[in-house]
């Protein structure tokens, strides 16, 4: 089996090695989380909420401990910071969850005699909204990634070279299986092939454009039915000097890129 530069499902067989500036991944943490595998994304999703709930739960327990609320659990004349917050840290953890998720069972309630608790309540509400926006947005982008939509975009299994309108053309077919259309669809093709320059420089993976109608506008597709994409082999084509026998033995790869917007989701 010949090793491919890009697999049929669109996966690029390129591995980045010797990357020393790994801190750059953390500067764009949102894209890094989106690019993670699903098991790691779910782990980060769970940890993000669990850590914030536990962190604020410890602070709520610490405030009750410093104010002496834990020493007056049975004293009904004492006004605690949070009602029904017993000496266990589990109750503080549960109150933290109720506060951040705005569940509000009504059993544990903050009182107006605790200014530090009011400040912490505002801080947790704001930070909780930020965590929700970040993590839910990350999950939404990951679910709606275009590689899932590409599963219903079908390319022909083979490309052919034949005459069309008395011109030699390289042709393949593409179609969309869904009823929702691809808006502003455009297509382009790249020839991936090793070459050596006139100066003797060897370029292992040189990329050359294959014209599929950019000059005439035929690269912009109205993809409601299967279409035949054609590349004319003329003087400007990299296949102009290639014979049929050489074409069968030559080592190269053609990567076709279809771009557009999904009508249903944008």
């Amino acid at each position: 089996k010949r090793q491919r530069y890009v697999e049929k499902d669109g996966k690029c067989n390129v591995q980045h090695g010797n990357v020393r500036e790994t801190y750059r991944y953390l500067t764009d943490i949102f894209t890094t989380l989106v690019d993670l595998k699903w098991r790691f994304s779910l782990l980060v999703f769970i940890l993000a909420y669990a850590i914030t709930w536990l962190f604020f739960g410890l602070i709520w327990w610490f405030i009750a401990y410093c104010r002496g609320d834990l020493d007056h659990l049975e004293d009904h004349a004492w006004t605690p910071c949070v009602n029904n917050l017993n000496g266990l840290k589990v109750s503080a953890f549960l109150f933290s969850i109720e506060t951040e998720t705005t569940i509000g069972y009504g059993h544990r309630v903050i009182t107006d005699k605790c200014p530090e608790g009011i400040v912490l309540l505002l801080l947790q509400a704001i930070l909780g909204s930020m965590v929700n926006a970040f993590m839910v947005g990350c999950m939404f982008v990951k679910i709606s990634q275009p590689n899932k939509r590409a599963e219903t975009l079908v390319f022909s299994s083979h490309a052919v070279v034949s005459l069309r309108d008395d011109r030699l053309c390289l042709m393949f077919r593409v179609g969309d299986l869904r009823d929702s259309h691809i808006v502003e669809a455009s297509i382009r093709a790249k020839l991936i092939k090793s070459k050596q320059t006139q100066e003797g420089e060897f370029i292992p993976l040189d990329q050359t454009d294959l014209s599929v109608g950019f000059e005439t506008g035929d690269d912009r597709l109205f993809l409601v039915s299967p279409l035949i994409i054609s590349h004319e082999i003329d003087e400007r084509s990299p296949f102009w000097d290639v014979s049929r026998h050489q074409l069968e033995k030559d080592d190269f790869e053609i990567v076709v890129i279809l771009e557009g917007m999904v009508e249903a989701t944008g």
Side-chain angles (χ1 to χ4, degrees):
K1 184 180 180 180
R2 180 180 297 180
Q3 186 177 5
R4 298 179 59 92
Y5 184 68
V6 179
E7 294 290 347
K8 289 284 190 178
D9 58 356
K11 180 181 178 181
C12 297
N13 290 325
V14 179
Q15 295 183 357
H16 298 281
N18 197 23
V19 180
R20 298 180 180 179
E21 298 180 351
T22 54
Y23 67 91
R24 294 183 180 272
Y25 294 104
L26 297 178
T27 57
D28 188 12
I29 187 65
F30 186 82
T31 307
T32 301
L33 291 177
V34 172
D35 291 339
L36 287 177
K37 295 182 179 180
W38 267 108
R39 54 180 177 269
F40 297 115
S41 296
L42 292 176
L43 178 62
V44 173
F45 186 85
I46 295 172
L47 288 178
Y49 285 103
I51 290 176
T52 53
W53 294 339
L54 181 61
F55 174 74
F56 282 101
L58 291 175
I59 297 180
W60 284 113
W61 182 86
F62 183 74
I63 291 177
Y65 175 79
C66 293
R67 293 182 79 255
D69 295 341
L70 304 180
D71 299 329
H72 300 80
L73 296 178
E74 304 297 333
D75 188 0
H76 298 286
W78 178 267
T79 303
C81 183
V82 179
N83 288 326
N84 300 312
L85 187 68
N86 55 35
L88 298 177
K89 296 181 181 180
V90 178
S91 61
F93 178 70
L94 292 176
F95 179 72
S96 177
I97 296 177
E98 295 172 16
T99 301
E100 190 167 330
T101 58
T102 64
I103 292 177
Y105 288 119
H107 181 66
R108 300 177 184 87
V109 184
I110 188 173
T111 62
D112 56 355
K113 303 298 183 181
C114 182
E116 61 271 22
I118 297 175
V119 173
L120 182 60
L121 179 65
L122 295 175
L123 182 62
Q124 186 173 4
I126 295 173
L127 185 61
S129 300
M130 294 174 62
V131 172
N132 286 332
F134 189 85
M135 298 309 302
V136 173
C138 179
M139 289 293 108
F140 174 77
V141 172
K142 194 170 182 64
I143 292 173
S144 60
Q145 279 184 325
N147 54 1
K148 303 301 181 183
R149 178 62 176 86
E151 294 293 333
T152 51
L153 290 172
V154 182
F155 287 84
S156 55
S157 301
H158 302 281
V160 297
V161 178
S162 65
L163 288 174
R164 196 181 201 194
D165 294 333
D166 203 25
R167 292 177 295 181
L168 199 62
C169 297
L170 169 69
M171 294 176 289
F172 57 91
R173 208 176 191 195
V174 60
D176 189 7
L177 301 180
R178 288 191 178 274
D179 294 333
S180 60
H181 300 158
I182 301 293
V183 183
E184 298 183 3
S186 62
I187 196 166
R188 53 196 175 100
K190 290 282 188 180
L191 174 66
I192 311 295
K193 183 180 180 181
S194 301
K195 82 168 190 176
Q196 191 169 5
T197 63
Q198 298 179 0
E199 294 79 14
E201 179 187 2
F202 178 75
I203 304 177
L205 295 172
D206 183 63
Q207 299 184 10
T208 306
D209 277 323
L210 294 179
S211 177
V212 288
F214 177 77
E215 297 84 358
T216 60
D218 292 337
D219 61 324
R220 294 186 290 273
L221 309 179
F222 184 48
L223 198 59
V224 295
S225 62
L227 299 175
I228 297 178
I229 311 300
S230 175
H231 163 67
E232 182 180 352
I233 303 178
D234 54 10
E235 294 84 353
R236 298 173 298 175
S237 173
F239 299 117
W240 178 251
D241 297 327
V242 181
S243 64
R244 176 177 178 178
H245 179 71
Q246 183 180 357
L247 187 65
E248 294 175 351
K249 293 186 176 181
D250 207 353
D251 188 15
F252 65 90
E253 187 172 334
I254 297 176
V255 179
V256 180
I257 304 169
L258 177 64
E259 297 173 313
M261 290 189 299
V262 180
E263 182 185 37
T265 63

